[in-house]
Amino acid sequence: MPLPLQGLSAIVTGAGRGLGRAEALELARLGAAVVVNDYGQPGRDGTGEASAGPAEEVAAEIRAAGGTALAHTGDVSDFAQARTLVESAVAAFGRLDILVNNAGILRDRMVFSMAEEEWDSVLRVHLKGHFNTTRFAAAHWRERSKRAGEPVFGRIVNTSSEAFLAGSAGQPNYAAAKGGIVGLTTSTALALGRYGVTANAICPRARTRMTEDVFAGIGQPSGAGLDPLAPEHVAPLVGYLASPAAAHVNGQLLVVHGGMVAVVERPRVAAKFDSKQDAFTYDELEAVLGPYYADRPVGETFAAAEVLGLGRG
């Protein structure tokens, strides 16, 4: 029986460690040929010995297990390097079928203390990085579809965060970037659906090098069991969303961690008020919105903090 992703090719960004590594290994296990992207050059390990770099190490791990993989060390926040990344997959495997955007950084600080560079760098790597790779992958799929005269196979899995859903007070840059990624995802889903391409976003919770301070002492496994925050809990969902079986899943947002997947419902209109004249006046707005918000729970905002309480069972 063929593997679900047999004959397909994939790019996973930020795949040298943590979540991206687990995702790249899972896609390869399911049969995909993988371009393992992680920014940085080969260097030396802690012993002073030459190191191939994390991207090549993961690619080598895939090849050692019988899969097909190559490493790419470009910076996805750079427009030209993102183009090269997509072109390298097409050159190596004949086409690109799956794009998993995972690369990211953290620069946490309260909004009143945040430096301009801390804001810009996080938006650049997360949001612009997602756009850059998506832009060139989308152009590839559109061109293939027009040439074939029919839809082709294409999958995008983007990485948002519960920080966007719940409103993380100490991460205004990260929450803004992750919210932007959801907007990019839904726009892409609508734009590329006609070409056979789906785009979905996940909000993963995983213990990685980037989040080790965030999750320090939380959810540690008792005994030899798998850590509830292990990236391996997230990777299978990425594999599913990347597969032909998920053709009907498009423009969706899912929370995933610790043996649990939650589908997030789209925003819905809670209330609607109409002006009595052509336009609202201040007094009329105060008369309708004042009582409405007076009856709402104290401290409630658009953020869905309850998502942080989700768990298996």
Side-chain angles (χ1 to χ4, degrees), residues 205 257-260 307-313:
R205 191 186 302 180
H257 58 81
M260 180 217 74
V307 74
L308 298 178
L310 292 174
R312 186 168 180 238

Side-chain angles (χ1 to χ4, degrees), residues 5-50:
L5 304 183
Q6 194 71 45
L8 302 178
S9 65
I11 289 171
V12 183
T13 71
R17 300 180 178 89
L19 195 55
R21 173 183 175 273
E23 292 166 348
L25 292 175
E26 177 70 2
L27 295 184
R29 188 187 72 80
L30 294 175
V34 183
V35 178
V36 180
N37 164 264
D38 201 88
Y39 180 53
Q41 300 299 324
R44 297 193 174 276
D45 61 22
T47 66
E49 295 294 320

Side-chain angles (χ1 to χ4, degrees), residues 223-295:
L226 184 64
D227 182 349
L229 293 178
E232 287 74 16
H233 287 295
V234 176
L237 176 61
V238 173
Y240 167 73
L241 293 174
S243 74
H248 58 296
V249 184
N250 193 26
Q252 302 298 307
L253 179 65
L254 303 99
V255 176
V256 55
H257 58 81
M260 180 217 74
V261 173
V263 178
V264 179
E265 189 174 25
R266 65 180 179 85
R268 297 185 182 275
V269 177
K272 176 180 175 290
F273 305 98
D274 297 320
S275 65
K276 294 178 181 178
Q277 307 300 323
D278 288 343
F280 270 112
T281 64
Y282 171 89
D283 289 338
E284 190 180 5
L285 284 170
E286 195 284 328
V288 294
L289 292 180
Y292 175 77
Y293 281 108
D295 290 337

Side-chain angles (χ1 to χ4, degrees), residues 140-161:
H140 167 71
W141 288 318
R142 179 174 179 267
E143 180 183 347
R144 275 178 49 199
S145 178
K146 291 200 166 193
R147 191 166 59 242
E150 61 184 8
V152 296
F153 183 93
R155 298 286 186 268
I156 299 173
V157 182
N158 288 332
T159 306
S160 183
S161 170

Side-chain angles (χ1 to χ4, degrees), residues 210-236:
M210 192 176 83
T211 64
E212 59 186 356
D213 292 335
V214 177
F215 295 129
I218 299 175
Q220 296 284 8
S222 55
L226 184 64
D227 182 349
L229 293 178
E232 287 74 16
H233 287 295
V234 176

Side-chain angles (χ1 to χ4, degrees), residues 4 14-15 25 36 41 54 69 75 96 117 120 136 148-149 151 185 194 202 234 254 270 275 298 300 304 309:
L25 292 175
V36 180
Q41 300 299 324
D75 178 1
L96 173 65
E117 186 280 330
D120 288 348
F136 293 110
T185 302
R194 72 183 71 179
I202 62 170
V234 176
L254 303 99
S275 65
V298 175
E300 180 187 72

